[in-house]
Amino acid sequence: MTFEKVEVCVYGAAVLCPSCVNLPSSKETYDWLQAAISRKFPNQPFDITYIDINEPPSDSEKAEFAERVIEEEMFYPVVVINDEIVGEGNPKLKTIYAELEKYGYKSEE
């Protein structure tokens, strides 16, 4: 299988999701995912981006999805890998790892 570099997007907000009390903040989840993916798949590059749903970037695709998170009342953070939602509210590493493996990422554990 060939390797394809992916983009992991973490959509969230500074204020915790009302249904996500006692869970890490969106920014904490972003930091945690960045470290966890780097450990699981060392020397396999990926891009990870944090997008504040209340202050979306000028990138129209990301801004539209940020608006969708709000309109559809998704539990955030919402983790998206190459346009596929892989986690919402309390994302699971196993699910995220499985999605990365579809793109040729190999665990070195």
Side-chain angles (χ1 to χ4, degrees):
M1 179 182 281
T2 60
F3 175 79
E4 182 182 332
K5 184 177 176 184
V6 300
E7 180 180 26
V8 179
C9 292
V10 180
Y11 291 84
V15 177
L16 286 179
C17 167
S19 299
C20 302
V21 177
N22 298 324
L23 292 176
S25 71
S26 297
K27 189 71 169 142
E28 289 169 330
T29 299
Y30 162 81
D31 291 337
W32 168 72
L33 277 176
Q34 186 170 27
I37 294 169
S38 294
R39 276 193 308 275
K40 179 80 170 177
F41 304 106
N43 303 314
Q44 296 170 70
F46 63 95
D47 292 325
I48 185 163
T49 308
Y50 176 77
I51 296 125
D52 187 315
I53 60 174
N54 297 311
E55 296 179 26
S58 57
D59 178 311
S60 62
E61 193 174 306
K62 288 178 174 60
E64 285 174 25
F65 191 83
E67 187 175 314
R68 187 176 150 203
V69 171
I70 294 168
E71 287 177 358
E72 295 180 16
E73 297 179 355
M74 294 181 185
F75 297 123
Y76 49 85
V78 178
V79 179
V80 177
I81 296 177
N82 287 1
D83 302 322
E84 183 74 32
I85 297 172
V86 294
E88 196 178 329
N90 187 16
K92 306 289 182 236
L93 277 177
K94 187 175 183 179
T95 306
I96 293 165
Y97 291 161
E99 187 67 21
L100 288 168
E101 288 167 353
K102 290 179 187 177
Y103 292 94
Y105 285 72
K106 298 279 187 229
S107 172
E108 294 186 16
E109 293 182 331

